[in-house]
């Protein structure tokens, strides 16, 4: 009996030791996994402040539909009256990334310390047609603009558009007065009150408001001029060099969001109404006219080069600079290589 008891006790002891070993192994593995998670095997999300406007849905779609989150981007959207104001906010570090037409983008990179990280497309006849010229009823042709007060949004390409349009119509820029304003709403009010005589505007919501005004009518649109509007995304060189992978992730998220916006217009219309109270019908009208196409092509470069030439000749940019040196496409090439055809 004593021998049998000793054998039985030995078996129990061995089983107990085995169980302890198994449990210890499981605990060790679990602790290692927890340690890996706590140690942050995935880097912390990159915080990016993005300059935006109330009429652009792309960044809001990227945030709302999780594209930023999926690409490890912690985005904060900062809204401005115009893209040009957003670009200017880069200079005081209010934002990290901004978008705008060639004019404000070139103004930024000409100062040094800022680079273009992608183009967003839009240099098409269809997009140009979305820019409407509204004038007071006593103006029935371009010739009637002589001596009139014409609006432009400060920091934008609109003075260039006026110059090209008037030149084609045989009117000199010196024959008119250009009045700078802070945004399209300000231009609308000024035209309504008779403080200005003509304004270029974009966006179906604003166009609908202008079309409803008495004593105001549409005279032309930008597709009838030689001007085509390129658009770029710009950031500071410091931010790009510190976060090359993050910039690439940001661009990949924006690319996905722009495609989603075109494929789900009703959802985007609901989102824009919820966030900025833009009427759904206006979002549905505007979406197909202004699709964002992330990339960089020879046409994007040519658009920038042409605008740069004008800005230098007009004294808007005082000192010439190397445009090619301000185009930083490394992050874009890494995430969306097929979208970059410039330089090939």
């Amino acid at each position: 009996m004593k021998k049998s008891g000793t054998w039985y006790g030995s078996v129990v002891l061995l089983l107990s030791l085995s169980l302890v070993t198994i449990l210890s192994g499981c605990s060790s593995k679990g602790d290692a996994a927890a340690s890996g998670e706590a140690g942050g095997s995935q880097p912390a999300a990159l915080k990016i402040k993005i300059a935006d406007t109330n009429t652009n849905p792309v960044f809001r779609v990227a945030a709302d539909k999780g594209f930023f989150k999926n690409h490890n981007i912690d985005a904060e959207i900062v809204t401005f009256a115009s893209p040009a104001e957003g670009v200017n906010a880069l200079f005081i570090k209010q934002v990290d990334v901004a978008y705008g037409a060639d004019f404000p983008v070139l103004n930024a990179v000409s100062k040094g310390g800022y680079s273009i990280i992608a183009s967003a497309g839009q240099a098409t006849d269809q997009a140009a047609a979305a820019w409407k010229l509204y004038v007071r009823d006593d103006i029935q042709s371009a010739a009637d603009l002589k001596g009139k007060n014409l609006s432009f949004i400060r920091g934008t390409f609109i003075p260039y558009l006026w110059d090209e349009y008037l030149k084609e119509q045989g009117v000199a820029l010196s024959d008119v007065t250009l009045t700078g304003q802070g945004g399209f709403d300000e231009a609308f009010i000024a035209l309504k009150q008779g403080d200005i005589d003509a304004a270029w505007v974009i966006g179906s919501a604003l166009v609908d408001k202008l079309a409803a005004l008495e004593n105001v009518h549409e005279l032309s649109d930008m597709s009838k001029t030689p001007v085509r509007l390129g658009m770029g995304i710009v950031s500071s060189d410091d931010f790009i060099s510190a976060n090359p992978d993050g910039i690439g992730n940001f661009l990949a998220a924006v690319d996905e969001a722009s495609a989603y916006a075109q494929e789900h217009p009703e959802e985007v219309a609901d989102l824009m109404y919820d966030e900025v109270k833009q009427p759904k019908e206006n979002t549905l009208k505007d979406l197909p006219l202004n699709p964002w196409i992330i990339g960089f092509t020879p046409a994007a470069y040519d658009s920038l080069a042409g605008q740069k030439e004008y800005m230098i000749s007009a004294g808007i940019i005082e000192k010439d600079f190397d445009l090619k040196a301000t185009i930083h496409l490394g992050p874009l090439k890494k995430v969306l290589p097929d979208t970059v055809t410039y330089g090939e």
Side-chain angles (χ1 to χ4, degrees), residues 185-204:
D185 287 341
E186 186 179 337
F188 167 76
I189 293 170
L191 191 58
K192 179 180 180 180
Q193 294 177 344
D195 297 331
I196 59 172
D197 301 299
W200 290 97
V201 299
I202 190 170
S204 60

Side-chain angles (χ1 to χ4, degrees), residues 20-198:
V20 169
T21 301
I22 291 169
L23 291 174
S24 297
C26 290
S27 176
S28 175
K29 183 177 178 182
D31 289 345
S35 176
E37 290 170 4
S41 56
Q42 181 176 341
L46 176 63
K47 293 182 179 294
I48 298 183
K49 291 184 178 180
I50 307 166
D52 202 5
T53 64
N54 276 338
T55 56
N56 171 42
V58 179
F59 298 140
R60 298 179 194 279
V61 169
D64 184 74
K65 301 302 177 183
F67 295 116
F68 281 143
K69 183 178 180 181
N70 292 345
H71 286 277
N72 211 28
I73 298 296
D74 180 3
E76 178 184 345
I77 294 173
V78 185
T79 304
F80 297 90
S82 70
E85 282 194 6
V87 173
N88 288 338
L90 284 170
F91 306 146
I92 57 173
K93 301 186 185 303
Q94 190 175 355
V95 296
D96 302 306
V97 178
Y99 80 96
D102 292 342
F103 190 105
V105 166
L106 286 165
N107 185 50
V109 299
S110 71
K111 299 178 185 303
Y114 300 89
S115 292
I116 297 162
I117 56 175
S119 166
Q122 293 194 329
T124 64
D125 293 346
Q126 183 185 39
W131 282 88
K132 309 292 186 182
L133 174 56
Y134 271 84
V135 299
R136 301 194 64 76
D137 279 349
D138 60 327
I139 300 169
Q140 295 297 314
S141 70
D144 297 331
L145 291 170
K146 289 183 178 180
K148 300 297 186 181
N149 190 353
L150 315 183
S151 167
F152 74 94
I153 307 304
R154 287 186 290 271
T156 71
F157 79 111
I158 294 176
Y160 171 61
L161 176 56
W162 274 124
D163 197 5
E164 292 295 315
Y165 172 72
L166 294 172
K167 191 189 310 177
E168 279 209 325
Q169 302 297 323
V171 179
L173 200 58
S174 58
D175 292 333
V176 302
T177 298
L178 293 184
T179 297
Q181 293 168 315
F184 291 114
D185 287 341
E186 186 179 337
F188 167 76
I189 293 170
L191 191 58
K192 179 180 180 180
Q193 294 177 344
D195 297 331
I196 59 172
D197 301 299

Side-chain angles (χ1 to χ4, degrees), residues 180-252:
Q181 293 168 315
F184 291 114
D185 287 341
E186 186 179 337
F188 167 76
I189 293 170
L191 191 58
K192 179 180 180 180
Q193 294 177 344
D195 297 331
I196 59 172
D197 301 299
W200 290 97
V201 299
I202 190 170
S204 60
L206 183 57
V207 167
D208 287 349
K209 288 166 65 177
L210 283 162
L213 284 182
E214 294 183 1
N215 303 318
V216 171
H217 67 278
E218 180 184 332
L219 182 64
S220 188
D221 67 64
M222 196 169 77
S223 70
K224 300 179 179 68
T225 78
V227 178
R228 294 296 176 268
L229 183 62
M231 186 168 69
I233 303 175
V234 64
S235 184
S236 72
D237 291 344
D238 289 342
F239 192 77
I240 297 167
S241 61
N243 307 287
D245 291 339
I247 288 290
N249 291 339
F250 164 77
L251 293 173

Side-chain angles (χ1 to χ4, degrees), residues 250-331:
F250 164 77
L251 293 173
V254 173
D255 179 65
E256 291 178 16
S258 61
Y260 188 94
Q262 294 300 315
E263 294 164 3
H264 302 85
E266 291 288 345
E267 285 186 40
V268 176
D270 287 337
L271 175 65
M272 292 299 284
Y273 180 77
D274 290 342
E275 295 212 355
V276 299
K277 299 307 177 199
Q278 176 164 282
K280 291 178 61 175
E281 61 270 20
N282 293 121
T283 299
L284 293 172
K285 287 179 186 177
D286 293 338
L287 262 178
L289 299 178
N290 298 296
W292 278 42
I293 303 172
I294 301 301
F296 204 86
T297 66
Y301 178 82
D302 291 343
S303 178
L304 285 162
Q307 181 76 83
K308 176 196 165 206
E309 182 179 346
Y310 167 79
M311 293 175 77
I312 290 174
S313 65
I316 298 167
I317 294 176
E318 296 181 358
K319 186 178 179 181
D320 200 356
F321 66 98
D322 182 358
L323 176 59
K324 291 182 178 180
T326 69
I327 300 171
H328 191 126
L329 303 178

